[in-house]
Amino acid sequence: RMPVWGHLNSAAEYLSRTQWVLRQGRPRYDVGFFRQKGWGQTGIGAPWATNAGIPTGWTHGFLNDSGLFLEGSTFTGGRFAPDGGAYKAQVIDIDRFRGQEATMSVRGAKRLLELAKQGLPVVFFGDWSAPESIGYRDQAVNAEVAALVAEIRSLGNVRDAAGNDDIPVALSALGIRPTVSHDSSHLKHVHRVADGVEYFYFVNAKHNFGKDRLEYLEQEVRMTVSDGGRIPYQLDAWTG
């Protein structure tokens, strides 16, 4: 027998409680990043968010052109896809997988214009002064995309971010703040909502397992909940 076997029940109970939290309700993210391609496991992170946003509490997800047309892809209550990722804002990225080009489909640009007119905060990252259509470059289609993007960028709830450091500035100008904020560290979290209860799961985890060194962490964390009348409760995953 191995001495560790005597601790397996406690370890299993710990994992069952943390997994219970991670299965409650639906996730809520701060920002969605638009990508022209739907490649999810590229290892290429979001601009600014991976190196600076996540370490200070920001959360994000990705969506592509098709993600703008799902049944739940609406802007309601200040959130895009309220029953999905519930994003506060969208960052429109350049095509990182094909020459850093500013491209978008006509239907995607039209849908984004509809959402922006409804109030969805949007940030265009990179140079979108001369956007083109994805795929075959028909000049008439390119011109239509350029006109649609120009109209979107003219709206009051849309900002440009030329570089990584400009993204948080643009989000702040649009009134977008992270739900969780803290000094830069290895602290990671997941935020989920179910039946009027908000769940925050925090973990001290390395981003790059090959390079980062995990150290003891003790810091102040600020959380913003949707209802100021909520009562905080800290779950001890070891005892329940």
Side-chain angles (χ1 to χ4, degrees):
R1 293 174 61 87
M2 297 292 292
V4 71
W5 290 0
H7 302 284
L8 289 183
N9 283 343
S10 296
E13 290 172 354
Y14 178 95
L15 290 175
S16 70
R17 294 183 183 108
T18 58
Q19 293 306 303
W20 178 84
V21 170
L22 293 173
R23 293 196 306 270
Q24 299 307 299
R26 297 180 181 276
R28 297 176 75 85
Y29 301 100
D30 295 317
V31 181
F33 283 84
F34 178 86
R35 281 185 164 171
Q36 292 80 353
K37 308 294 190 300
W39 306 340
Q41 300 296 325
T42 61
I44 300 177
W48 166 76
T50 299
N51 294 324
I54 295 174
T56 56
W58 287 85
T59 57
H60 71 280
F62 295 101
L63 76 157
N64 61 5
D65 190 278
S66 298
L68 299 174
F69 297 91
L70 298 176
E71 183 178 351
S73 297
T74 62
F75 183 66
T76 307
R79 297 271 186 166
F80 174 72
D83 294 326
Y87 303 101
K88 302 176 185 177
Q90 293 293 331
V91 176
I92 311 303
D93 199 358
I94 52 179
D95 190 344
R96 294 177 170 271
F97 309 106
R98 287 291 185 270
Q100 309 291 312
E101 298 175 333
T103 58
M104 186 178 298
S105 71
V106 172
R107 75 164 195 155
K110 287 181 177 179
R111 179 58 180 151
L112 187 62
L113 177 59
E114 292 176 358
L115 292 166
K117 285 185 174 180
Q118 293 171 14
L120 174 65
V122 176
V123 174
F124 279 90
F125 174 74
D127 183 3
W128 284 84
S129 60
E132 296 183 336
S133 170
I134 60 175
Y136 176 69
R137 306 304 175 83
D138 178 272
Q139 291 304 312
V141 176
N142 285 344
E144 185 175 3
V145 169
L148 289 166
V149 169
E151 185 174 357
I152 299 171
R153 293 174 64 205
S154 70
L155 299 176
N157 54 310
V158 179
R159 295 290 188 276
D160 289 331
N164 288 334
D165 293 340
D166 298 314
I167 293 179
V169 176
L171 291 171
S172 178
L174 293 170
I176 306 300
R177 305 287 187 274
T179 297
V180 172
S181 60
H182 50 76
D183 292 338
S184 183
S185 71
H186 286 151
L187 187 66
K188 307 291 189 297
H189 80 275
V190 174
H191 179 206
R192 301 182 71 90
V193 177
D195 300 325
V197 179
E198 298 196 42
Y199 298 88
F200 292 89
Y201 175 77
F202 291 92
V203 60
N204 182 10
K206 295 189 292 184
H207 172 68
N208 188 320
F209 284 86
K211 298 180 180 180
D212 294 343
R213 178 181 178 182
L214 193 61
E215 299 179 347
Y216 175 77
L217 179 63
E218 182 176 348
Q219 66 180 139
E220 180 179 298
V221 178
R222 296 165 292 279
M223 294 172 284
T224 303
V225 295
S226 57
D227 183 354
R230 298 192 189 279
I231 300 174
Y233 176 83
Q234 182 176 343
L235 173 66
D236 187 328
W238 288 111
T239 66

